């Protein structure tokens, strides 16, 4: 590199440094302003996530960006990232309490990750939260006596048994709720064990989310809806969307979404291990899409084996779905073995037709995701 | 909402609007400055992507952010997104031409997506690019006569045949290269057909990338390395990383990375179709991780069936890898059928151990990706 080039680059980089300083100051200022919005909303008991307001604001910014020759998608991506940061900070100020006269909340299995997350959210909203775990059941009668809400979040394999055996003497107006990822069996158990209000919840996210903003919580109505409506409102205040579902329909969808998917991801990891694949060289050759897929597989194995065993082994009917997949795999393999390329293409087309407009939509979505994966690459 | 709340929110939103205007102006300014850096680099023939400089700049910004109470990850994410935008804009100014005295470039299969992308990059770097497709082979002798580089990018199923039959009379100093996703067979065919310089390339990305910055191109050396070294430098100027590999080792890794993965994604889509899954309700219940996985599956079916048939059917040895997966799946299913939860957990632990430090690293990476997916959600 000659001296002139070096000097020019140095000078430009100095100017960029200056812009970045200004950028940091602006980010700080915007985060502070949004925190003040949060405080006003908090006082008024408004949800932190307002989809329509957000969409309108983004549309306006995109237009302004276009007029200035800045790519609309750039400002949208940056603002979305900033909004995420604001949602995260929201936690620090706490949330409006919808039901101030509720007795204490008892989280059964409160030391688990999801139990801790809900305990934290409820505490931040002003509720008195007590946790109950395997080791301190002697405290149960005292805690239950003053409870307005008992929230069950123990491993799937013991949920129903625990409800049937231990939760039969709650105060009549106490709400009994659970966070299990299957809903039919726990709902039946709760309705049988307790005569008061019952509601089933399934948070559709892992405990490692930083904020509940935009996350989904599935709700299955049990009994005395009026008594627990505040809880659903409270969850919405945290930013989540509440989606109602029939337990059976929820469980059917979950067999495809959870049991089957986790199972085949498990087998995929097992397969890499048995093929003695060299992860380093796989990564070296990896395009973003494969790096992403490998990360999704590796992610599973960073988590608790018991949790996944529970999810896969506990779902009635999941075995059938998993068997069906095996049959389809075998049939497709037959096409490969016999070199039947034409039938492979014909089947591909049928599936593409079935995906319909979702296929190009997913392609567009995944393109955006792959670009973020690529942004993250360091070398 | 009472009047006071409304007024307070209005006022704060007005202030946020003002900050966003400043933000847009700043983005515009930064993009312009980086474009000037690009122009200086272009004139000096320096690559647009400088990993070390980028890492040093980000480290500095993170530190400055921390001192101002802004989350370091926030500024890093925003700057990475901005850098992507700059790489995209880079294309507009063109690239330094490394080999000005090259004859014309002939892209065989230049109407395909990847052919078009490479044609565009070569044109932007000042080369004269001609394309040759099925329909205009009568032009071949004329085009080849003055060619300095012939780049083959036709469907895998016809690549070797085309090389053997049609590329036997290139000028002796012409470089023969290909972009096929397998390397052993095409390399052999090229080395047999042509006595001059030969090099095999495999771009590890889809044709829908906006920029080659940070992407990987695998290179397999054929013959007369000195003659085509400029081409590798040219690819680096475009921002990509060139990774050397032995054809056989490359193909082995690709069986796991491509053939097997595409095949099981195909079966997964086929399975959803046969189970008559309701995509709408799957999405409604979906946590970000499943939405991402569904998008990765749907993405496949938005693309050409022939392309995937080629990739899956053309790889020798991929059948074995695909069979192995079936065996592993069947064995794991047996655990489920017999309720052998303990052995499932034992196997899970073995795989987790094998993943080693990659598992937590992948978990961290996927968390970041899932957060971007969640940022994108609109309702």
């Amino acid at each position: 590199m000659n001296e002139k080039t070096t000097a020019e680059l140095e000078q430009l980089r100095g100017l960029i440094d200056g812009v970045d300083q200004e950028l940091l100051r602006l980010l700080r200022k915007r985060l502070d302003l949004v925190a003040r919005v949060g405080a006003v909303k908090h006082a008024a008991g408004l949800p932190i996530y307002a989809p329509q307001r957000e969409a309108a604001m983004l549309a306006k910014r995109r237009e302004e960006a276009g007029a200035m020759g800045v790519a609309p998608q750039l400002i949208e991506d940056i603002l979305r990232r900033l909004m995420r940061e604001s949602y995260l900070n929201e936690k620090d100020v706490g949330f409006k309490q919808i039901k101030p006269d509720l007795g204490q909340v008892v989280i059964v299995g409160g030391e688990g990750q999801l139990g801790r997350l809900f305990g934290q959210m409820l505490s931040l909203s002003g509720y008195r939260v007590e946790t109950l775990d395997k080791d301190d059941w002697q405290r149960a009668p005292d805690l239950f006596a003053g409870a307005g809400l008992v929230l069950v979040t123990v491993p799937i394999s013991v949920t129903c048994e625990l409800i049937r055996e231990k939760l039969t003497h709650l105060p009549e107006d106490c709400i009994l709720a659970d966070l299990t990822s299957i809903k039919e069996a726990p709902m039946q158990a709760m309705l049988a064990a307790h005569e008061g209000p019952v509601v089933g919840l399934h948070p559709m996210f892992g405990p490692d989310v930083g904020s509940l903003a935009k996350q989904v919580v599935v709700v299955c109505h049990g009994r005395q809806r009026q008594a627990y409506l505040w809880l659903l409102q409270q969850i919405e205040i945290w930013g989540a969307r509440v989606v109602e579902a029939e337990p059976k329909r929820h469980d059917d969808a979950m067999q495809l979404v959870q049991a089957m998917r986790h199972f085949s991801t498990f087998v995929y990891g097992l397969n890499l291990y048995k093929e003695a694949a060299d992860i380093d060289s796989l990564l070296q050759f990896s395009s973003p899409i494969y790096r992403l897929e490998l990360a999704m597989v590796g992610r599973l194995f960073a988590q608790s084996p018991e949790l996944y065993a529970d999810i896969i082994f506990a779902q009635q009917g999941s075995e059938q779905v998993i068997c069906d997949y095996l049959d389809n795999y075998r049939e497709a393999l037959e096409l490969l073995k016999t070199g039947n390329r034409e039938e492979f293409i014909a089947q591909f087309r049928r599936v593409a037709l079935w995906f319909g407009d979702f296929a190009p939509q997913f392609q567009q979505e995944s393109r955006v995701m792959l670009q973020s994966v690529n942004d993250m690459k360091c070398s």
Side-chain angles (χ1 to χ4, degrees), chain A:
Chain A
M1 207 183 319
N2 66 33
E3 271 181 41
K4 184 161 162 279
T5 302
T6 311
E8 277 175 348
L9 287 178
E10 280 302 307
Q11 195 220 344
L12 289 169
R13 283 171 182 160
L15 292 172
I16 293 173
D17 282 354
V19 168
D20 287 355
Q21 302 300 326
E22 276 187 72
L23 183 61
L24 274 171
R25 270 193 295 274
L26 267 185
L27 295 181
R28 178 71 271 162
K29 196 166 161 188
R30 195 182 199 280
L31 290 171
D32 290 342
L33 285 169
V34 176
R36 284 170 61 192
V37 170
V40 173
K41 284 187 168 184
H42 170 72
L46 297 168
I48 60 165
Y49 173 52
Q52 286 178 332
R53 156 84 200 159
E54 196 175 289
M57 188 270 283
L58 286 174
K60 201 163 147 237
R61 292 297 176 271
R62 288 182 66 102
E63 205 186 304
E64 292 160 356
M68 289 174 64
V70 172
Q73 195 57 47
L74 175 65
I75 188 70
E76 174 164 345
D77 288 350
I78 288 177
L79 288 176
R80 283 191 186 280
R81 180 62 186 84
L82 262 168
M83 289 186 275
R84 184 212 302 172
E85 201 67 20
S86 290
Y87 292 134
L88 282 176
N89 294 340
E90 203 77 21
K91 274 209 214 158
D92 303 339
V93 284
F95 299 96
K96 164 95 177 179
Q97 184 178 28
I98 298 284
K99 181 82 174 169
D101 60 343
L102 186 79
Q104 65 200 0
V105 176
V106 181
I107 304 188
V108 182
E111 295 300 319
Q113 284 188 291
L114 203 55
R116 270 206 298 266
L117 177 65
F118 272 79
Q120 187 194 11
M121 297 307 286
L122 287 161
S123 297
L124 285 167
S125 312
Y127 300 96
R128 201 165 76 249
V129 177
E130 297 278 353
T131 63
L132 198 54
D133 273 279
K134 285 200 279 286
D135 308 328
D136 46 17
W137 267 103
Q138 73 283 3
R139 295 171 61 219
D142 283 350
L143 292 180
F144 289 156
L149 166 64
V150 171
L151 190 59
V152 182
T153 171
V154 296
I156 291 191
S157 53
V158 298
T159 303
C160 291
E161 192 189 328
L162 178 137
I163 293 169
R164 274 193 296 266
E165 293 179 4
K166 313 250 188 181
L167 304 180
T168 47
H169 290 86
L170 304 180
E172 217 191 303
D173 60 348
C174 174
I175 301 161
L176 178 56
D178 79 316
L179 301 178
T180 319
S181 65
I182 54 171
K183 294 267 61 81
E184 208 172 5
M187 291 293 292
Q188 283 168 3
M190 289 193 295
L191 287 165
H194 179 53
E195 301 205 331
V198 167
V199 60
L201 303 171
H202 179 198
M204 305 298 296
F205 44 85
D208 60 351
V209 294
S211 149
L212 263 61
K214 305 190 189 183
Q215 301 290 356
V216 169
V217 177
V218 171
V219 56
C220 296
H221 293 294
R223 185 193 291 133
Q224 295 181 33
R225 206 176 286 211
Q226 283 307 318
Y228 60 75
L229 218 58
W230 69 266
L231 178 58
L232 308 184
Q233 287 167 357
Q234 189 69 61
I235 290 171
E236 284 174 338
I237 292 273
W238 298 337
R241 190 158 56 90
V242 169
V243 174
E244 299 186 349
E246 285 290 304
K248 167 110 181 60
R249 191 166 152 260
H250 166 273
D251 287 3
D252 284 349
M254 282 308 114
Q255 278 160 19
L256 278 174
V257 170
Q258 286 200 323
M260 210 221 96
R261 196 58 189 150
H262 291 325
F263 184 78
S264 61
T265 303
F266 166 74
V267 177
Y268 189 69
L270 186 67
N271 197 56
L272 286 175
Y273 157 70
K274 289 201 176 171
E275 299 277 344
D278 173 9
I279 301 184
D280 262 323
S281 74
L282 288 183
L283 282 181
Q284 204 186 17
F285 290 141
S286 288
S287 49
I289 192 166
Y290 188 71
R291 189 181 180 95
L292 182 58
E293 288 185 338
L294 207 54
M296 296 307 250
V297 176
R299 173 187 173 83
L300 183 88
F301 292 96
Q303 295 173 70
S304 147
E306 287 82 8
L307 177 69
Y308 283 98
D310 279 346
I311 292 175
I312 292 169
F313 282 76
Q315 297 218 33
Q316 290 183 329
S318 63
E319 196 183 304
Q320 189 52 52
V321 177
I322 291 170
C323 281
D324 290 350
Y325 181 85
L326 184 69
D327 292 340
N328 287 324
Y329 196 96
R330 198 184 290 119
E331 277 174 38
L333 181 58
E334 216 38 54
L335 298 180
L336 185 61
K337 280 182 174 169
T338 56
N340 196 345
R341 192 172 173 274
E342 273 168 48
E343 180 56 23
F344 175 89
I345 289 176
Q347 291 197 5
F348 193 110
R349 287 196 205 286
R350 278 197 290 277
V351 179
L353 209 65
W354 173 77
F355 265 104
D357 293 340
F358 280 113
Q361 181 193 325
F362 285 150
Q363 193 183 21
Q364 167 59 22
E365 264 184 41
S366 60
R367 184 182 297 137
V368 176
M369 291 185 266
L370 294 175
Q371 279 166 342
S372 339
V373 179
N374 207 47
D375 289 348
M376 278 162 40
K377 265 204 211 169
C378 302
S379 62

